[in-house]
Amino acid sequence: MMISELTATELQARLTTAGLCFGCGPFRLRLNSSLRLLFPVLHKLYAHYPVYDHSGVDDYRMTLDWASPLRRWLRPVVRFSADGPAPFTDVSIEQAFPTLEWGMNWCIAVRAHHVLMLHAAVVERHGRVLVLPAAPGSGKSTLCAALSHSGWRLFSDEFGLVQPEDATFIPIPRLISLKNQSINVIRQFSATAHIGSTYHGTHKGSVAHIRPPLASITRMKESAPAGWVIFPRWQAGAALTLQPIAKDRAFMMIASNAFNYEVLGELAFKAVAHIVKNCEIYSLVYSDLAQAIHTLDDLTQ
Amino acid sequence: MLQNQSPAQYASALLINAVCEPQQLSKLSDCDWDLLLQVARQKRLLGRLYMELKRLCLLSSVPENVAAQLRAANNLVTHRQTVLAWELNRILWALKGLDVPVIALKGIAYVIADLPPASGRFFADLDILVPLEHITVVEQRLLDRGWLKTTLSPYDERYYRLWMHEIPPLRHRERESEIDIHHTLLPRTHRFNFHAITASLFTEAHTVPNSEAQILAAPDMVLHVLVHLLFEGNPEEGLRLRDLIDIADLLRYFGSEMTFWSQLVQRAEQLNLGRPLYYGFRYLQRLLGIKVPAFAIQTTARFAPIAPIQWLMDWLVPLAILPEHPAYPRYRARLARQLLYLRAHWLRMPPLLLIRHLSYKMWLRLRKVPRYIDIKPQDLQQL
Amino acid sequence: MDIWQLHSQGALHWEQWEDQFALYQVASGETHFLNAFGAAILQQLIAAPQSLDAICAHLAIEFDCMPDAELCAQVSALLTRFDELGLIQRHDD
């Protein structure tokens, strides 16, 4: 059963009692919240995630709720927590949903040390994945959103999860988070992208979230090896260039892009070496999104 | 859940059984695993459970995502152990030629001497012990060879130098780990101070194969963990169950030699640590079911406190050391953690200083430190 | 003159791309990046413990340059750095 198949009342009942248990990629998550404004957002944007029975072994247990029952009326702030003290400062109720998304990323990033975690967007086609490592201003989420709505399967917008033993990528189809101008860019690029409300004034400016396409969730247990690593950079007015990157430099760039390269030690060294050896690696500078997608399509035919 | 068992008792029993009888772990239901993972995470024992299951070849018999969570925790443990063992190696490299004895303490000692508590044990910092008269040259040599002082407020710097048993932590400019350099095992101001005989820690110390660092003699090692367990409270975390488990491991390992037990009692008396040893034996038996030889119990009976204190400790210690059920936290457990923290602080310092220190810390807490919610690789290594 | 050798906990994994190398040092968990020159020094010491002069003489042949003071200074600086990183140690330590 998917979250969209729950009625609004059933969804609310789960969130406010034992918790809403659902699956995302390899993880089983449990969310508790009594924030009414969150319920319709979850119903829409989390629609395709499978609902799990509430007795089972959770990977992450998250709570997003009023910071204190009293302050709810004075200064309405909410707090995210997961198995312990709150990792972030409290935020205003308007920012509840983006905070939940960041909180979930935080949970995965601090704990999932059984896999190598790249800070990257990942999409798949013809059984191989294209990895887009993140750097400030890289526009990886914009590219990821555009690719996921142009015939590629979304693996992840934020985490390239790598099985260290064989360097295959594991899907974790979380929502794609768009910032500022890229929200409109994607609205114009794809009529089928399902984009939620825009939240203004967060610490990252305005953000909006794209619901992962249904197929990315129904196939979220299907891993794939990497075929290409593309380091993107968006630059206003730039002519498109696609330049191969030397393997030694690529190794350094991928290793330093991972959240937990040091933690996995030798396993991480070998996994990154495997990716570098088996992938075509380029840097991509672009200004026009459609042209960039076209180039990537050609490259990966 | 068994009848008549509170949620906290159930959660505790689950964790204690997992630690004491890991061979039973393959029989746990999903619900029990779910709870066990939460309490073991609370007490930082996931790595240990992983190593026990691995030793017993039971990893494939537990649910897949349980194994994944345990492996994740253990990868972090292995990483910390590698990094800290290497930090020690580099310290010894830097100190070459100084002819100063260096004793590895706590976690790092278990790792270099390959003692049972090392298995799956998470530890955050590197602790070493050097004689007080050499501490300045040691610090200076490390500063010359790439280590840096961590920036402390003038208050904290003064607090360390005047009152503590260690100097402010150092960190290598290219690495993350903090190193704590101690000159004795208890703060200078501590009630149980045995400053006068700190030198004997060095004369009794043992060498370790393949390392130039030494480790404390077995009785001193056990007493040091006890000191750590009973005097290093933390109001949020309570007393550390993993310290008690370390003691259980060490006693099991060293205790097969009967002479060890009498040496332990004798040494405790010499170091003025009879009372902590008495408590140690008492709660090891009561909470972990560890067998202590009758004669050792008898000879430590004279270190017992007066009956009301005994009664109070019997109430406080289990509350503060055993895990809480995450869904049903109890006010009395929080109270017990806070009271034991106050007690630990009380013993560490003369009362006037205590009030000054606590009020300063309280003031710091009132000034809220901003926290950001960006994920950066360097934030990501807690568990 | 000091004789240098590989560190006693010197298990290393190598990756090579043309004239660049990545090196995983098992004991420290650190990854080091080396150029051909650095890698050649380390490989010399893996083959056998030797002195600064012997390493310089060998490198002069391998890289077709003069075994002069400049080369020696360069090698010496790298040896000091390798020593600090715990990749190598003095033979008598």
Side-chain angles (χ1 to χ4, degrees), chain A residues 18-32:
Chain A
L20 171 68
C21 295
F22 64 99
C24 182
F27 302 122
R28 182 191 144 95
L29 302 113
R30 181 188 301 253
L31 174 62
N32 278 92

Side-chain angles (χ1 to χ4, degrees), chain A residues 247-248 252 261 265-266 273, chain C residues 13 15 17 20 22 24 31 33:
Chain A
K247 298 272 178 183
D248 58 305
M252 224 181 290
Y261 176 83
E266 196 172 325
Chain C
H13 297 295
E15 279 294 324
W17 307 276
Q20 295 293 320
Y24 181 77
T31 304
F33 292 94

Side-chain angles (χ1 to χ4, degrees), chain C residues 19-79:
Chain C
D19 57 352
Q20 295 293 320
F21 300 78
L23 198 57
Y24 181 77
Q25 187 182 11
V26 175
S28 68
E30 288 165 5
T31 304
H32 305 290
F33 292 94
L34 295 177
N35 61 14
F37 192 69
I41 297 178
L42 215 48
Q43 274 157 358
Q44 276 297 300
L45 295 177
I46 290 172
Q50 50 198 289
S51 68
L52 173 64
D53 284 353
I55 299 169
C56 288
H58 184 92
L59 288 176
I61 298 167
E62 190 171 334
F63 290 89
D64 194 18
C65 58
M66 292 298 291
D68 53 11
E70 195 190 331
L71 179 77
C72 252
Q74 243 181 356
V75 174
S76 173
L78 265 174
L79 289 174

Side-chain angles (χ1 to χ4, degrees), chain B residues 71-116:
Chain B
R71 196 170 342 112
N74 192 63
N75 282 344
L76 198 59
V77 166
T78 309
H79 167 65
R80 291 304 303 163
Q81 294 196 355
T82 304
V83 163
L84 293 180
W86 185 248
E87 193 68 32
L88 177 64
N89 179 300
R90 293 295 83 199
I91 289 171
L92 295 169
W93 166 82
L95 298 182
K96 203 150 270 174
L98 281 187
D99 199 25
V100 173
V102 173
I103 295 182
L105 295 176
K106 300 194 252 185
I108 189 65
Y110 311 146
V111 171
I112 62 169
D114 200 16
L115 293 172

Side-chain angles (χ1 to χ4, degrees), chain B residues 43-250:
Chain B
K43 295 291 178 188
R44 294 215 145 178
L45 287 167
L46 290 172
R48 183 185 176 99
L49 296 186
Y50 176 88
M51 290 304 284
E52 291 289 75
L53 287 169
K54 190 174 165 196
R55 181 175 62 84
L56 296 163
C57 300
L58 288 175
L59 274 172
S60 55
S61 72
V62 304
E64 203 178 322
N65 73 333
V66 170
Q69 289 190 48
L70 295 177
R71 196 170 342 112
N74 192 63
N75 282 344
L76 198 59
V77 166
T78 309
H79 167 65
R80 291 304 303 163
Q81 294 196 355
T82 304
V83 163
L84 293 180
W86 185 248
E87 193 68 32
L88 177 64
N89 179 300
R90 293 295 83 199
I91 289 171
L92 295 169
W93 166 82
L95 298 182
K96 203 150 270 174
L98 281 187
D99 199 25
V100 173
V102 173
I103 295 182
L105 295 176
K106 300 194 252 185
I108 189 65
Y110 311 146
V111 171
I112 62 169
D114 200 16
L115 293 172
S119 173
R121 173 74 149 89
F122 182 91
F123 49 99
D125 306 319
L126 181 70
D127 299 277
I128 57 171
L129 181 72
V130 298
L132 180 60
E133 64 268 28
H134 295 302
I135 207 151
T136 324
V137 286
V138 166
E139 188 179 16
Q140 193 51 52
R141 173 63 80 85
L142 291 174
L143 293 174
D144 292 344
R145 298 235 165 148
W147 276 264
L148 306 168
K149 291 188 190 193
T150 47
T151 40
L152 288 180
S153 70
Y155 177 88
D156 281 344
E157 174 94 28
R158 193 180 125 84
Y159 170 75
Y160 264 106
R161 301 274 173 191
L162 275 180
W163 308 115
M164 291 301 286
H165 51 310
E166 57 192 306
I167 61 170
L170 300 181
R171 180 187 297 150
H172 191 271
R173 61 185 153 79
E174 292 177 334
R175 294 186 292 265
E176 295 292 321
S177 321
E178 282 200 348
I179 54 175
D180 291 330
I181 307 177
H182 305 245
H183 48 78
T184 184
L185 301 182
L186 282 173
R188 294 180 182 206
T189 47
H190 204 283
R191 295 288 176 77
F192 286 90
N193 197 337
F194 49 79
H195 224 70
I197 37 177
T198 295
S200 67
L201 297 174
F202 289 92
T203 50
E204 298 289 314
H206 289 285
T207 55
V208 180
N210 303 321
S211 175
E212 279 151 65
Q214 300 178 309
I215 56 169
L216 292 173
D220 291 350
M221 194 183 283
V222 171
L223 291 169
H224 183 216
V225 199
L226 267 171
V227 162
H228 202 252
L229 169 70
L230 293 167
F231 302 141
E232 305 253 322
N234 165 330
E236 274 83 44
E237 200 186 354
L239 300 185
R240 295 190 180 102
L241 180 60
R242 57 184 194 275
D243 284 344
L244 191 70
I245 294 171
D246 286 348
I247 301 171
D249 282 348
L250 291 174

